[in-house]
Amino acid sequence: MTDPLDASFAALSDPTRRDLVARLALGDATVSELAAPYDMTIQAVSKHLNVLAAAGLVTKSAQAQRRLIHLEADALRRLTDWVQHYAQLADQRYRRLDEVLVQLADTEESP
Amino acid sequence: MTDPLDASFAALSDPTRRDLVARLALGDATVSELAAPYDMTIQAVSKHLNVLAAAGLVTKSAQAQRRLIHLEADALRRLTDWVQHYAQLADQRYRRLDEVLVQLADTEESP
DNA sequence: CTCATTGTCAACCATTCGGTTGAATATCGT
DNA sequence: ACGATATTCAACCGAATGGTTGACAATGAG
């Protein structure tokens, strides 16, 4: 799963990781701070953070024995770009289809 | 993975499924039409489509023995909403932080 | 120096995932 | 009624995933 898009979507498919992202949107935090709310070992949370980091959604900076985790908003934006592109494409197609249907209706009304 | 957000992100974490979405953004298609370009069995593609359908990203309508697959742009939009929300939240935080730093620099310049 | 704190690494386990093959079902065209 | 076409269902396989426990490394504090 080398592709960054693969990794990003996969990373966000886990509710714990989405929750971590939501938390990090409010500000940087250490691993144990992030792990505190969860009923799971700190190792598990550390793994989740690694998954987010591998996807580029998050970066770590070592401050002494702790690591500050930082949300990379740019990586999030690259995700929305992909999704939005195809949603928009489909929308345009629907609109064109509507126009055709309206025209058809018009020509049938006035023969 | 009952959560629709879980299912949607997971569905799009696979490159084949993202490709199917890209194709479907151009218009509805049958299973075999969608399967044609891939070097994999039609059953595999059918499975991928089931995953997309389970996530609500796609719907099937049975026309005789074929099924027409249709992209649900609304479901895509729900995804972007989630991502965009937290990207925006982080952005706002950065901006506030910048303001604080600028103010600090100012007060240090003119004591 | 010692020790508690913070975090990672490694091995393991159960479950899920992406793919295959093979058989079954449903519908169209003749 | 029959055969071809389109799709699904089911069982199976290897790899990846989310979690655990236990040991290790690095740093700060007393």
Side-chain angles (χ1 to χ4, degrees):
Chain A
M1 198 169 44
T2 321
D3 184 66
L5 227 37
D6 283 29
S8 295
F9 279 117
L12 295 179
S13 73
D14 184 278
T16 303
R17 286 193 294 257
R18 279 202 308 280
D19 207 57
L20 288 169
V21 167
R23 164 65 183 79
L24 286 167
L26 305 175
D28 300 356
T30 67
V31 176
S32 30
E33 280 169 1
L34 291 169
Y38 302 103
D39 186 23
M40 98 182 50
T41 63
I42 198 174
Q43 288 96 319
V45 174
S46 182
K47 268 194 184 182
H48 280 306
L49 291 171
N50 281 341
V51 173
L52 288 169
L57 293 170
V58 132
T59 51
K60 306 185 191 183
S61 63
Q63 308 283 342
Q65 76 270 56
R66 22 191 101 150
R67 280 118 187 84
L68 252 207
I69 314 294
H70 173 83
L71 182 62
E72 292 294 328
D74 286 354
L76 283 183
R77 233 169 280 112
R78 256 168 264 137
L79 264 198
T80 56
D81 286 352
W82 190 94
V83 183
Q84 232 169 8
H85 176 68
Y86 293 107
Q88 198 178 334
L89 221 69
D91 267 352
Q92 288 173 1
R93 190 169 58 82
Y94 299 157
R95 265 196 286 279
R96 275 201 304 276
L97 197 60
D98 281 349
E99 283 178 23
V100 171
L101 292 177
V102 167
Q103 283 189 353
L104 271 179
D106 284 357
T107 53
E108 274 177 21
E109 265 177 29
S110 58
Chain B
M1 196 166 48
T2 320
D3 183 64
L5 227 38
D6 282 29
S8 295
F9 279 117
L12 294 180
S13 73
D14 182 277
T16 302
R17 286 192 296 257
R18 280 202 308 280
D19 209 58
L20 288 169
V21 167
R23 163 66 183 78
L24 287 167
L26 304 175
D28 300 356
T30 67
V31 177
S32 28
E33 279 169 0
L34 291 168
Y38 302 102
D39 188 21
M40 98 181 50
T41 64
I42 200 173
Q43 289 96 321
V45 173
S46 182
K47 268 193 184 182
H48 280 306
L49 291 171
N50 281 341
V51 173
L52 288 169
L57 293 170
V58 131
T59 50
K60 308 186 190 184
S61 63
Q63 307 284 341
Q65 76 270 56
R66 23 192 98 149
R67 280 113 188 88
L68 252 207
I69 314 296
H70 174 84
L71 182 62
E72 291 294 327
D74 285 354
L76 282 183
R77 231 169 280 112
R78 257 169 262 136
L79 263 198
T80 56
D81 286 352
W82 191 94
V83 182
Q84 233 168 9
H85 176 67
Y86 293 107
Q88 198 178 332
L89 221 69
D91 267 353
Q92 288 172 1
R93 190 171 57 83
Y94 299 157
R95 266 197 283 280
R96 275 201 305 275
L97 197 59
D98 280 351
E99 283 177 24
V100 170
L101 291 178
V102 167
Q103 283 188 353
L104 271 180
D106 284 357
T107 52
E108 274 178 20
E109 264 178 31
S110 58

